Amino acid sequence: MVAELKNYIHEQYYFRLRLGVAGLIVLSLFTLLAFRFYYLQILHYDHYQTLAENNRISLVPTIPNRGLILDKNGVVLAHNFFVYTLEITPSKVKNLDSTIAELGQLIEVSSQDKKRFKKFREQSHSFESAPIRTHLNEIEAAKFAVNHFRFPGVEIKSRLFRHYPLGKLGSHMVGYIGRINDKDIENLKKDGVYSNYKGSDHIGKSGLEQFYEQQLHGVTGFQQVEIDADGHAVRVLSSNAPIPGDNLILSADSKLQEIAETAFGERRGALVAINPKTGEVLTYVSQPTFNPNLFVDGIDSENWKLLNESLDKPLINRPLRGIYPPGSTFKPFVALAGLEAGKRNPPFSIQDGGFFTLAGSSHRYRDWKPSGHGMVDMQKAITVSCDTFFYGLAMELGIERLTSFVSHFGFGRKSDLDIKGEIGGLLPTPEWKKRRYKQPWYPGETVIVGIGQGYTLVTPLQLAQATAILANNGVAMKPHLVTKIQNGLTGKQVDIQAIVQDRVELNPENMAIVKRGMVDVTLPGGTAASVGANAPYSIAAKTGTAQVIGIKQNEKYNEHGMNERHLDHALFIAFAPAEDPTIAVAVIVENGRHGGSTAGPIARKVMDYYLLGKMPAIEPSAVAAPVPASATGTATITEEELHD
């Protein structure tokens, strides 16, 4: 058998061929690798250098100190303090319920804490931490620190908390902050300031806290922190310090605020006092009130239910959003409209028989005094609050001329106070009624506008602003609560300048008639004689009652058999000293029955303290009790005071 001979030349050829192909493949791969190195290390060096740095360096936001809110005397109304919080990042926890249960064995975690945590989780992303416990003491913080290794995804943080040291006092004015939600984020992005809220959890929700949010918040700082492979901070590479928010200094006096709120007792209502020369708001009351501290850390469901479902509606900001018929407090403005229009100038007077009728109609528009007031001129009509006089005057003026004139006093429009949410009230016109109800305007509707009833609606703030404009002889100053903004770093203060909103030229003689009528209101025979008794300064005032439910033509108003919430609202406006006013005040007591005997004494206490520094002599509980025979000094309650 012949053995097969190998062809070494042929095999050597194929070996070299395979070696060459393999070499080309290797060379191609190295060429691609070299090109990739060139692409990464040279062409896109800056980009990948940044990515690498970002993996090594973390930007940590530093939250600025929120600005303080101070009253005119430097009393702190809102400030900040740091507390330890125990926080859970849901995305880093395998079994959330089990973790919370174990934490509860180490540190007290109440059912309220769990409810609040659940609410925070719903408002935030899973990778964001949410507090399960706040306000940890040092012992609790130390106890957790020792056991930290047992709780991945749980850590102690130091958070800045807002605090309102005076609690309920002035809460509707100061407002409160709350946790940032999706709507807030949307608004921040729309305003182009979202980046300034990195790391921030809270934002102003109401009152001055909301209106001056941008000034109070400050500017967020950042730290460049080097982190290791486990995500732990190694060192701070650089830092950009936060800029604290500005401080707000108010025109309001916390002591005056306390006197005003206490004077209401358990009654519902509102009070606003303004300096007519500057527009500075001196006190701002909405009763009942609430504790804003409940909202800072997230209000629990029980307290929310109590506040939200209360029949007294403590969360409503009554000066801005409470709307009421102005009642007889509207009459001085109607009187001035008549005088300026040349209607019923002195010595014009009427014989008041206790009612008014339209031509060709048998319907009687009744005066509050069935027997009438006898001969009544303009000054007396204001003093005794003669309905009959103003029924006829309103008809002579006509609804268009009347509403056009009184609009200069702020009725029917927003005052632009530095708190959001104001309602503009309602100054009715035929056009409005046609648009709203698809019905024509009737003459009888003009009649009742003359005494502040019908469709006319005002807010307590509008009523106070109108009174201030009247006191300032037709010059409307923009109302404002903040008088100075203080730089949080330098302490430099910037004054808020007084702004003239509107000006109506008024005849001084006409103003004198109206003011004399209002001064007589607080003198014997007036509807608020007890309010002016023994006052060492002159008070120009007007009382009012506003119906809550209608009374039929032949029915008589009987407050004794009525539901308390169906009783008339009590209103009172005043300015003092009458000859050179520095305070104008409006008070509304819901279901308070009579302006002179219920709302008036509250205003007197406010004016006494503001003008004289005099503390109230009557116990707070007396305000909520039935009016005694002698309300102030030695003056007795008159028939006029019990009807307006």
Side-chain angles (χ1 to χ4, degrees):
M1 187 174 182
V2 180
E4 183 179 351
L5 298 175
K6 291 184 179 180
N7 190 337
Y8 290 102
I9 296 175
H10 186 71
E11 285 186 6
Q12 189 176 34
Y13 169 77
Y14 280 107
F15 173 76
R16 288 176 178 172
L17 181 62
R18 287 194 296 270
L19 186 63
V21 171
L24 285 174
I25 292 173
V26 171
L27 181 62
S28 299
L29 291 174
F30 272 103
T31 301
L32 287 173
L33 185 61
F35 178 77
R36 185 62 177 169
F37 279 144
Y38 175 79
Y39 177 84
L40 295 174
Q41 298 292 332
I42 298 176
L43 291 182
H44 289 80
Y45 172 81
D46 292 338
H47 173 69
Y48 288 101
Q49 168 73 7
T50 301
L51 291 180
E53 284 296 309
N54 286 344
N55 286 332
R56 186 177 69 90
I57 298 172
S58 176
L59 279 179
V60 179
T62 309
I63 303 172
N65 281 340
R66 192 173 180 87
L68 308 179
I69 301 179
L70 313 168
D71 84 342
K72 64 180 295 183
N73 299 315
V75 176
V76 177
L77 305 178
H79 69 118
N80 317 295
F81 66 99
F82 281 97
V83 297
Y84 290 126
T85 62
L86 187 64
E87 309 206 3
I88 300 176
T89 305
S91 62
K92 296 181 179 179
V93 176
K94 291 183 179 179
N95 190 322
L96 192 58
D97 292 335
S98 176
T99 299
I100 293 174
E102 289 184 44
L103 282 172
Q105 296 175 4
L106 188 66
I107 295 172
E108 182 183 358
V109 178
S110 67
S111 58
Q112 182 177 329
D113 292 328
K114 294 175 183 177
K115 289 178 183 178
R116 187 170 56 240
F117 174 73
K118 182 181 179 182
K119 183 177 179 181
F120 286 160
R121 280 193 63 202
E122 292 170 352
Q123 295 175 348
S124 59
H125 301 289
S126 63
F127 55 81
E128 295 177 339
S129 64
I132 184 67
R133 254 295 305 276
T134 60
H135 299 81
L136 294 178
N137 58 42
E138 292 183 0
I139 294 175
E140 290 173 322
K143 190 182 292 185
F144 175 79
V146 173
N147 293 273
H148 188 195
F149 69 94
R150 295 170 46 200
F151 300 98
V154 185
E155 58 184 333
I156 289 179
K157 288 188 176 182
S158 178
R159 284 185 181 261
L160 199 63
F161 270 72
R162 194 67 158 174
H163 183 244
Y164 304 98
L166 301 187
K168 293 183 176 183
L169 192 72
S171 61
H172 292 90
M173 171 180 65
V174 176
Y176 60 86
I177 66 169
R179 198 170 178 85
I180 295 175
N181 56 33
D182 290 339
K183 185 178 180 180
D184 296 322
I185 292 174
E186 183 181 332
N187 291 333
L188 290 171
K189 289 180 178 179
K190 190 183 300 182
D191 296 337
V193 294
Y194 179 61
S195 60
N196 192 38
Y197 282 78
K198 294 292 185 182
S200 296
D201 297 314
H202 295 82
I203 194 170
K205 296 287 188 177
S206 71
L208 296 170
E209 290 276 31
Q210 180 187 36
F211 190 91
Y212 288 97
E213 171 61 31
Q214 299 307 313
Q215 291 86 345
L216 288 166
H217 179 265
V219 179
T220 300
F222 289 93
Q223 286 186 332
Q224 275 193 329
V225 180
E226 184 178 357
I227 55 177
D228 60 20
D230 295 324
H232 298 130
V234 176
R235 58 177 174 144
V236 176
L237 300 176
S238 65
S239 63
N240 183 14
I243 300 175
D246 294 335
N247 303 323
L248 305 181
I249 301 173
L250 311 187
S251 53
D253 178 347
S254 59
K255 189 61 184 177
L256 183 63
Q257 183 78 20
E258 181 184 1
I259 289 170
E261 290 191 13
T262 303
F264 271 85
E266 297 300 317
R267 295 187 184 275
R268 303 175 301 277
L271 180 152
V272 179
I274 299 174
N275 184 331
K277 299 177 185 294
T278 63
E280 295 177 359
V281 177
L282 308 175
T283 187
Y284 182 99
V285 176
S286 181
Q287 287 290 102
T289 183
F290 63 92
N291 189 343
N293 291 302
L294 292 171
F295 290 87
V296 175
D297 199 18
I299 188 168
D300 60 90
S301 58
E302 289 181 20
N303 279 311
W304 171 251
K305 186 177 181 180
L306 284 174
L307 292 173
N308 195 45
E309 297 182 6
S310 170
L311 292 177
D312 293 335
K313 305 297 181 186
L315 296 178
I316 292 180
N317 195 328
R318 283 171 165 83
L320 261 76
R321 301 190 62 80
I323 49 175
Y324 311 84
S328 293
T329 59
F330 199 57
K331 289 174 182 175
F333 307 97
V334 178
L336 196 53
L339 291 169
E340 289 292 317
K343 306 288 185 183
R344 303 194 173 188
N345 290 334
F348 181 90
S349 61
I350 67 166
Q351 178 64 42
D352 174 25
F355 63 90
F356 173 84
T357 58
L358 289 167
S361 172
S362 61
H363 182 86
R364 290 188 173 188
Y365 296 89
R366 297 171 294 185
D367 193 280
W368 67 263
K369 188 174 184 180
S371 61
H373 299 274
M375 293 299 296
V376 180
D377 61 7
M378 184 68 81
Q379 185 173 326
K380 183 180 178 181
I382 295 171
T383 303
V384 300
S385 198
C386 177
D387 293 332
T388 307
F389 189 94
F390 288 99
Y391 289 145
L393 178 55
M395 279 303 298
E396 289 185 44
L397 283 168
I399 190 63
E400 289 89 352
R401 182 158 50 177
L402 174 56
T403 54
S404 175
F405 179 83
V406 299
S407 68
H408 289 290
F409 293 85
F411 293 112
R413 63 186 183 192
K414 297 178 182 179
S415 70
D416 293 332
L417 181 72
D418 42 354
I419 296 180
K420 293 182 179 180
E422 183 179 0
I423 291 176
L426 177 60
L427 201 55
T429 62
E431 293 75 18
W432 166 83
K433 189 185 178 191
K434 188 72 175 177
R435 189 170 58 251
R436 177 69 175 82
Y437 293 107
K438 313 297 182 189
Q439 295 177 1
W441 185 269
Y442 299 107
E445 293 169 325
T446 302
V447 172
I448 59 176
V449 167
I451 63 165
Q453 295 287 354
Y455 296 116
T456 309
L457 295 171
V458 300
T459 65
L461 175 61
Q462 282 181 327
L463 202 54
Q465 175 70 345
T467 307
I469 298 169
L470 185 64
N472 204 28
N473 299 314
V475 179
M477 305 302 296
K478 183 179 183 294
H480 57 283
L481 281 157
V482 174
T483 57
K484 296 181 178 66
I485 297 180
Q486 182 184 52
N487 187 285
L489 273 180
T490 66
K492 182 180 178 180
Q493 295 182 0
V494 176
D495 293 336
I496 302 297
Q497 299 300 315
I499 298 173
V500 177
Q501 278 185 325
D502 195 4
R503 187 190 302 268
V504 56
E505 296 298 329
L506 300 171
N507 186 321
E509 293 181 1
N510 295 335
M511 279 298 304
I513 293 171
V514 173
K515 287 186 177 182
R516 281 199 301 269
M518 293 180 71
V519 169
D520 288 347
V521 166
T522 61
L523 299 178
T527 58
S530 63
V531 176
N534 302 323
Y537 53 89
S538 57
I539 305 171
K542 186 69 192 78
T543 58
T545 57
Q547 287 184 350
V548 175
I549 59 172
I551 303 296
K552 295 180 180 179
Q553 179 72 45
N554 297 318
E555 285 185 346
K556 186 176 181 180
Y557 178 77
N558 180 12
E559 63 184 36
H560 300 293
M562 297 179 68
N563 183 303
E564 186 266 340
R565 294 180 186 273
H566 292 165
L567 294 173
D568 290 347
H569 297 320
L571 298 94
F572 186 84
I573 62 172
F575 54 85
E579 60 277 5
D580 187 20
T582 56
I583 181 172
V585 60
V587 184
I588 292 179
V589 179
E590 293 178 6
N591 313 116
R593 301 181 297 173
H594 313 299
S597 57
T598 305
I602 297 175
R604 172 67 188 270
K605 291 173 184 175
V606 169
M607 292 186 289
D608 275 356
Y609 182 79
Y610 181 75
L611 296 172
L612 308 174
K614 179 182 176 183
M615 296 297 293
I618 302 175
E619 291 298 319
S621 59
V623 178
V627 181
S630 179
T632 310
T634 58
T636 56
I637 303 296
T638 64
E639 180 188 11
E640 284 77 9
E641 290 177 277
L642 291 176
H643 286 84
D644 211 345

